[in-house]
Amino acid sequence: MGDENMKIKLSDGSDLGIDVTRKAMKNIRLRVRRDGSVCVSAPFGVSSGRIQEFVSSKSAWIENHINSLLRQQDSDEEHVLFMGTNYALEVVKDRRTGVALNGENMTIFCSKPEEYKDVLQNWWVQQALAYLGDVVNKWYPVLGQDEEDKPVIKIRKMKTLWGSCTSMQRTIRFNYYLMCASAEGIEYVVLHELTHLLYPDHGAGFKAFLSRHMPDWKERKRRLESQCAGMRML
């Protein structure tokens, strides 16, 4: 709580409380917290009337910012992006434990609804291992290497990498969040990492191999990067 409290009127007629704190500073500062509450820091010498005038002048901005936060929270909590589709999320208390996809709906069944994220994560990893394993099986033969040398596949949560390949250990790690991407994006990442078993770097040989077996790899890469900015591959 601040040193003072004041209110502003929102467009729907409701009142929004504002926490005001006095500090040794030069200017009035306004902040909307992630929970939607609003706080103001003001110099000791500024009158309450001047602070109220300042806050009231910012009422439209405050309301828009709060609504934006609420929309973001709704999106984060109620939708899950899986293989290029944004599924509406539903959590159902049930003796069963699992995840079901129906159209554009994703239903999570669990006996303790508050633990639905654990159920989703376990299901997600299983789906990733199965699906990525199938894609690896599809593309591995183009390498011309022995079947018994097929790489080990692991799923990891990574901040900036879609995938990484340790060619000497013949291990490929795919990002947990790669399953958010579309099927064509996933295929590109899989072939990219498999190609590193032949070419450790991103030189001319690496690019020529990709172009020969996936002529549209550059377009797939571009679309993947535009959808998921900030991620890369090694």
Side-chain angles (χ1 to χ4, degrees):
M1 294 293 289
D3 302 328
E4 305 173 35
N5 290 293
M6 57 182 57
K7 297 179 180 180
I8 59 171
K9 188 75 71 175
L10 300 180
S11 61
D12 62 0
S14 62
D15 291 327
L16 175 68
I18 309 290
D19 291 336
V20 180
T21 301
R22 302 283 184 164
K23 295 182 178 181
M25 55 195 305
K26 292 183 178 181
N27 301 305
I28 302 174
R29 294 179 182 173
L30 173 68
R31 183 163 66 94
V32 179
R33 303 186 183 101
R34 287 192 62 82
D35 63 359
S37 62
V38 181
C39 61
V40 172
S41 300
F44 288 113
V46 176
S47 69
S48 296
R50 175 69 186 95
I51 298 172
Q52 180 71 63
E53 180 183 348
F54 173 82
V55 173
S56 296
S57 72
K58 302 293 184 181
S59 60
W61 179 87
I62 292 171
E63 188 165 5
N64 287 337
H65 201 71
I66 291 173
N67 288 337
S68 177
L69 283 173
L70 292 175
R71 286 194 298 269
Q72 180 180 344
Q73 290 169 4
D74 287 344
S75 176
D76 290 344
E77 294 173 0
E78 297 181 1
H79 291 81
V80 174
L81 183 63
F82 181 73
M83 291 195 65
T85 298
N86 197 28
Y87 289 95
L89 181 64
E90 178 187 23
V91 179
V92 175
K93 184 175 182 179
D94 197 287
R95 287 178 296 178
R96 296 174 294 170
T97 297
V99 178
L101 301 180
N102 181 20
E104 294 185 355
N105 297 311
M106 176 183 288
T107 304
I108 301 176
F109 300 95
C110 49
S111 59
K112 297 180 180 179
E114 66 274 13
E115 297 178 0
Y116 80 91
K117 290 184 179 180
D118 293 334
V119 175
L120 176 59
Q121 179 168 297
N122 291 335
W123 174 85
W124 190 285
V125 171
Q126 292 172 5
Q127 295 295 308
L129 286 170
Y131 186 83
L132 292 168
D134 287 344
V135 180
V136 167
N137 290 338
K138 172 184 174 179
W139 286 100
Y140 183 73
V142 305
L143 302 183
Q145 297 185 339
D146 293 338
E147 185 71 15
E148 59 265 26
D149 291 331
K150 189 178 296 182
V152 174
I153 304 302
K154 296 184 178 181
I155 308 298
R156 296 286 185 271
K157 286 187 177 181
M158 297 182 277
K159 292 184 178 180
T160 60
L161 300 177
W162 280 128
S164 65
C165 176
T166 306
S167 56
M168 294 296 293
Q169 298 176 0
R170 301 192 71 78
T171 299
I172 294 178
R173 297 171 181 82
F174 291 112
N175 194 329
Y176 175 95
Y177 298 103
L178 178 58
M179 294 302 290
C180 293
S182 63
E184 64 173 13
I186 293 174
E187 278 207 298
Y188 160 65
V189 174
V190 169
L191 184 57
H192 180 114
E193 299 306 332
L194 284 173
T195 303
H196 279 313
L197 294 173
L198 298 175
Y199 303 95
D201 57 23
H202 294 111
F206 175 89
K207 293 176 181 177
F209 185 88
L210 272 181
S211 297
R212 183 163 63 253
H213 295 285
M214 187 179 283
D216 65 339
W217 71 268
K218 291 182 180 179
E219 178 60 22
R220 294 188 189 215
K221 180 176 183 288
R222 185 193 65 77
R223 287 197 292 266
L224 183 66
E225 289 175 344
S226 67
Q227 295 167 359
C228 310
M231 304 299 294
R232 59 191 177 91
M233 290 170 290
L234 291 178

